[in-house]
Amino acid sequence: KIKYTDSAFPGVATARLTFDSEQFRSNPTVSFDWLGFNQIHVPQNYDAITKTYSGLFNGVLKKTYSTNPAWALWEVLTNPIWGFNIPAASLDIYSFYSLGQQCDELVPNGEGGQHPRFQFDERWENTGDQYEVMKAIASSMNAQFYEQSGSIVMKADTYDDYTQVYGPANVI
């Protein structure tokens, strides 16, 4: 039975189970499936189901369920209730957008199909230093962050074509 109540923690799901302990030999294992990381802010031109972007990005965000780690990190940084409450104006939204596109790029899954390059469905069981949490999420998508002109900028370790080959013939 699902019961909806007012919560001291809006936007946070909690669960309580009641059962007769005589029905089990030991404590039962309980797990839940949920759709995405939560409702998080993603670009307005983003379809979280198909993981595609349409048209030009105008900097406007909407809330929906998503497993894109770039936008999960955005939410962790900006959420005032359970996140770090960093003002969105302090983040370079276009670097997050570029990183989000890379995360959703389809790559071979090793079984003849394809899946997004990176997905994020994590939970935290302990509190942690903000910097360490940011670094852990960023590294899960081969990215790093740095400060530039007062904004937090994301940069991914991407694969590009060679621009110069160095060898014995062209090294002095």
Side-chain angles (χ1 to χ4, degrees), residues 149-172:
S149 303
S151 291
I152 295 174
V153 179
M154 296 301 301
K155 182 66 178 160
D157 183 10
T158 58
Y159 305 99
D160 290 329
D161 292 331
Y162 295 110
T163 56
Q164 179 69 42
V165 177
Y166 294 96
N170 59 359
V171 175
I172 299 175

Side-chain angles (χ1 to χ4, degrees), residues 37 40-41 69-86 91 96 120 124 130 133-134 137:
F37 174 62
I40 61 174
H41 288 92
W71 298 112
L73 179 57
W74 177 277
E75 194 67 26
V76 168
L77 296 176
T78 61
N79 191 291
I81 297 168
W82 51 264
F84 301 153
N85 199 22
I86 296 173
L91 306 175
F96 279 82
F120 188 80
W124 288 276
Q130 286 184 346
V133 171
M134 289 171 59
I137 297 172

Side-chain angles (χ1 to χ4, degrees), residues 1-170:
K1 172 180 157 181
I2 297 176
K3 180 179 178 184
Y4 296 95
T5 62
D6 290 334
S7 172
F9 306 102
V12 176
T14 59
R16 182 181 97 186
L17 300 173
T18 306
F19 52 85
D20 184 357
S21 63
E22 293 178 0
Q23 297 176 356
F24 302 95
R25 291 185 186 148
S26 62
N27 289 335
T29 301
V30 178
S31 63
F32 298 91
D33 285 333
W34 62 84
L35 181 61
F37 174 62
N38 199 347
Q39 279 206 358
I40 61 174
H41 288 92
V42 299
Q44 195 169 26
N45 68 333
Y46 177 60
D47 183 334
I49 303 299
T50 63
K51 301 187 181 305
T52 57
Y53 299 78
S54 60
L56 298 175
F57 178 49
N58 61 2
V60 176
L61 301 177
K62 64 180 179 180
K63 286 192 90 168
T64 189
Y65 292 99
S66 177
T67 58
N68 185 302
W71 298 112
L73 179 57
W74 177 277
E75 194 67 26
V76 168
L77 296 176
T78 61
N79 191 291
I81 297 168
W82 51 264
F84 301 153
N85 199 22
I86 296 173
S90 298
L91 306 175
D92 178 14
I93 194 168
Y94 295 99
S95 67
F96 279 82
Y97 183 79
S98 177
L99 182 58
Q101 287 179 309
Q102 182 194 351
C103 291
D104 283 325
E105 182 181 344
L106 295 179
V107 295
N109 67 3
E111 299 174 355
Q114 294 185 319
H115 63 161
R117 182 179 301 279
F118 300 109
Q119 295 188 79
F120 188 80
D121 260 333
E122 288 293 325
R123 66 175 191 267
W124 288 276
E125 297 177 356
N126 300 313
T127 59
D129 175 65
Q130 286 184 346
Y131 178 77
E132 293 301 319
V133 171
M134 289 171 59
K135 195 166 73 169
I137 297 172
S139 67
S140 74
M141 54 186 150
N142 291 343
Q144 57 185 335
F145 54 89
Y146 58 94
E147 187 272 334
Q148 180 179 4
S149 303
S151 291
I152 295 174
V153 179
M154 296 301 301
K155 182 66 178 160
D157 183 10
T158 58
Y159 305 99
D160 290 329
D161 292 331
Y162 295 110
T163 56
Q164 179 69 42
V165 177
Y166 294 96
N170 59 359

